[in-house]
Amino acid sequence: MIEGVRRRDRTGRGLLAAPALLCAATLLSACGNLSIGRIETAAPVATPQPKPKPTVAQTPATEREHERILATYGGAYDDPKLEALISKTVDRLVAASDRPDQGYKVTILNSGAVNAFALPTGQLYVTRGLIALASDTSELSSVLSHEMAHVLAKHASIREDQARQAAVVTRVVTDMGNDPELTALALAKTKLTMASFSRQQEFEADGIGVGIAARAHFDPYGASRFLTAMERNAALKVGKTSFDPRAQDFLSSHPATPERVANAQAAARQYTAPEGSERDRETYLAAIDNIVYGEDPSEGFVRGRRFLHPKLGFTFQAPENFTLDNTAQAVIGVREGGTQAMRFDVVRVPAEQSLGEYLNSGWMEGVDKASTEDLTVNGFPAASATARGDQWQFKVYALRFGSDVYRFIFAAKQKSTESERNARETVNSFRRLTLEEIQAARPLRIKVITVQPGDTVESLSHRMGGVDHPAERFRVLNGLDAHTQVKPRDRVKIVVE
């Protein structure tokens, strides 16, 4: 949960050549004026001053949007090495674009999601999750140039207008329409129009972005490689339904279809052969070595079926066959097959109100007040109750931990001995973290290592910690297909605890 569960309610070669030629001309002039006993001193030559970088215009609206983005994606990620690499990359891309007067400001977001987006003013955002997935600077440049293309083609402005229009349509239809089917149809049409428009924007931005990257002498095939990497990374999440805006990756708003990959490859072929341009892999790997990977433990994190929050000092474990997802609002768990689910969050309950009274206070419909029961869970005051909905049966727990009250809500399509046991065992697993556990709760990080003789994909993936599907994840992180093997002296990324 972002900012901890306590945040309840929120989110130049040519430039170098000119001075050199001026210096050469000055020296020749001085030599031509040599005479016995007299040397004329050459007049000092003014050094051309670099043009100031174009700035990004700030407006109250973009400031509010910037703050909302930071709140949603865990704030900014501070890493001087990465910031320097990105700044240098953006400068090259801007110089190669059709609008070198357009300013850009890039913010690295402290999120493990793979995402990037742009505001109309030129504010670009890229998550550390995306940076960790990319294998070289040309792949990162393809993302940055793609987002720059959205700004240059005014897609970001158009999308903003579309969103405002959709909000107006939604409000009018909701306020004035009493026919549910008519309301649903109007909303569906609005969303369909926006989605179709977005796909057109993506193809256009791909074409513009590949051209900018190629003219900046980056490998233009970086775009198609990274689109493929994102597809493979998303495939590792199949079966995990996320309810979190932070977890919505680049593919959610930038769909990577095979057609789009093919178009990116076709655009790249217009500029150069795959081996004829710069990938800058070594520099990139040096910059991302030790970057945080996945969730930031200071805001609570998932390890397998366990959720731990070192800052607030507690942990619990979900039932077997459950997948946990730490979202901005709550920890969500879904059982394989989708027949059971759970939600864990924090709520405001006055100290003078009992937990049983809270459960019966009307915040949830269908609560059976007769089922309310006062409990003690590992020394903490708690209460439970059952509730019934149209399609789901609920078991609800409230637990007071310090000055906070945490809420477990378990839902089952059909009440059973298993669903009752799952709820009871999960709540009973809630406990205070030990000092040793808090000190040991460190983030996962990307470690760049050199392949040694005898190393294989399998042996290296066994060195990965805290991730699922280690062999497949190792291949995706390093841009290796299903059959490619590592070679001695290769530099590769692994995830370590």
Side-chain angles (χ1 to χ4, degrees):
M1 289 172 275
I2 205 164
E3 283 292 318
V5 288
R6 289 192 183 280
R7 184 183 292 176
R8 299 181 178 87
D9 301 319
R10 307 171 287 177
T11 71
R13 189 171 62 186
L15 291 175
L16 295 174
L21 290 172
L22 285 171
C23 290
T26 303
L27 289 172
L28 287 172
S29 173
C31 290
N33 286 323
L34 284 177
S35 61
I36 295 174
R38 184 167 70 91
I39 299 179
E40 289 186 7
T41 303
V45 177
T47 303
Q49 295 300 310
K51 292 182 180 179
K53 287 185 182 181
T55 57
V56 175
Q58 299 286 355
T59 67
T62 56
E63 282 293 337
R64 286 194 299 272
E65 185 66 6
H66 176 73
E67 291 303 318
R68 188 190 67 78
I69 289 168
L70 290 181
T72 303
Y73 283 85
Y77 183 70
D78 182 25
D79 189 318
K81 282 193 305 180
L82 274 178
E83 290 163 6
L85 174 71
I86 290 175
S87 179
K88 182 179 177 182
T89 303
V90 169
D91 287 348
R92 279 178 62 174
L93 294 170
V94 170
S97 75
D98 294 335
R99 285 281 310 279
D101 58 316
Q102 170 67 54
Y104 299 93
K105 179 183 178 183
V106 183
T107 300
I108 305 172
L109 296 171
N110 186 24
S111 169
V114 179
N115 211 345
F117 37 88
L119 296 184
T121 52
Q123 287 169 272
L124 309 183
Y125 300 86
V126 58
T127 60
R128 57 172 169 76
L130 185 147
I131 294 169
L133 179 61
S135 289
D136 54 50
T137 310
S138 73
E139 292 186 11
L140 178 63
S141 77
S142 75
V143 174
L144 294 171
S145 61
H146 177 99
E147 296 305 327
M148 289 168 59
H150 278 311
V151 175
L152 297 174
K154 301 193 183 300
H155 291 165
S157 298
I158 294 168
R159 182 173 290 161
E160 207 173 56
D161 291 340
Q162 291 275 323
R164 278 196 292 267
Q165 291 170 21
V168 171
V169 171
T170 301
R171 190 164 61 250
V172 170
V173 171
T174 303
D175 291 347
M176 300 181 65
N178 294 321
D179 185 337
E181 291 186 8
L182 184 63
T183 302
L185 180 63
L187 295 180
K189 283 185 175 179
T190 304
K191 292 177 180 177
L192 185 63
T193 302
M194 290 182 66
S196 176
F197 189 68
S198 177
R199 280 195 294 272
Q200 291 178 346
Q201 291 175 338
E202 296 309 323
F203 282 114
E204 185 179 356
D206 281 341
I208 296 172
V210 167
I212 292 173
R215 290 192 297 275
H217 304 294
F218 286 113
D219 177 15
Y221 288 86
S224 57
R225 287 201 312 278
F226 192 66
L227 284 169
T228 301
M230 286 192 300
E231 284 186 299
R232 295 176 63 198
N233 185 64
L236 291 177
K237 293 163 59 177
V238 169
K240 293 185 179 181
T241 302
S242 179
F243 302 85
D244 187 8
R246 296 175 306 168
Q248 299 304 307
D249 58 25
F250 196 73
L251 298 181
S252 303
S253 55
H254 306 69
T257 62
E259 182 186 9
R260 188 173 167 205
V261 174
N263 282 354
Q265 290 173 332
R269 281 194 290 271
Q270 298 176 27
Y271 295 96
T272 183
E275 66 279 357
S277 48
E278 185 179 327
R279 292 193 180 187
D280 199 23
R281 178 174 169 83
E282 289 303 316
T283 301
Y284 188 79
L285 291 180
I288 69 168
D289 190 21
N290 209 42
I291 187 175
V292 172
Y293 182 82
E295 295 171 293
D296 186 340
S298 67
E299 306 304 342
F301 65 101
V302 172
R303 285 287 186 274
R305 292 188 290 122
R306 284 188 74 196
F307 177 74
L308 305 92
H309 205 304
K311 186 187 289 185
L312 300 182
F314 66 81
T315 182
F316 67 84
Q317 181 165 300
E320 288 186 17
N321 300 318
F322 267 65
T323 298
L324 284 182
D325 190 8
N326 180 26
T327 80
Q329 294 79 30
V331 179
I332 304 295
V334 179
R335 191 190 188 283
E336 217 172 88
T339 57
Q340 295 179 41
M342 62 164 284
R343 175 188 174 100
F344 171 83
D345 59 16
V346 64
V347 290
R348 297 176 186 268
V349 178
E352 62 274 12
Q353 184 178 28
S354 76
L355 296 178
E357 288 172 343
Y358 165 73
L359 292 180
N360 291 324
S361 62
W363 62 271
M364 183 178 189
E365 293 182 358
V367 173
D368 178 7
K369 295 184 179 182
S371 70
T372 305
E373 183 182 0
D374 291 324
L375 307 166
T376 300
V377 175
N378 292 328
F380 306 115
S384 70
T386 60
R388 182 183 296 273
D390 290 339
Q391 300 179 23
W392 294 85
Q393 311 294 315
F394 298 94
K395 184 73 174 182
V396 186
Y397 292 84
L399 184 149
R400 200 180 292 275
F401 180 74
S403 59
D404 289 318
V405 171
Y406 295 100
R407 186 170 63 183
F408 287 92
I409 303 172
F410 297 90
K413 286 288 182 74
Q414 290 185 329
K415 184 178 177 180
S416 65
T417 303
E418 183 204 24
S419 65
E420 288 280 303
R421 184 180 66 249
N422 284 343
R424 187 172 57 253
E425 289 181 354
T426 301
V427 173
N428 286 337
S429 74
F430 184 98
R431 63 174 176 81
R432 196 183 300 277
L433 285 170
T434 66
L435 181 61
E436 291 76 14
E437 287 175 316
I438 292 173
Q439 292 172 339
R442 294 186 296 270
L444 300 178
R445 292 186 181 272
I446 292 289
K447 182 72 176 172
V448 178
I449 61 172
T450 301
V451 177
Q452 301 298 320
D455 283 341
T456 65
V457 168
E458 289 69 29
S459 67
L460 292 171
S461 66
H462 285 150
R463 295 170 60 179
M464 304 257 281
V467 298
D468 56 357
H469 310 296
E472 295 94 328
R473 200 164 294 280
F474 176 86
R475 288 187 177 277
V476 170
L477 279 173
N478 291 287
L480 303 174
D481 62 30
H483 306 292
T484 304
Q485 288 297 324
V486 294
K487 299 186 295 293
R489 295 188 297 278
D490 281 350
R491 299 280 283 166
V492 293
K493 296 179 280 184
I494 60 172
V495 179
V496 298
E497 292 189 89

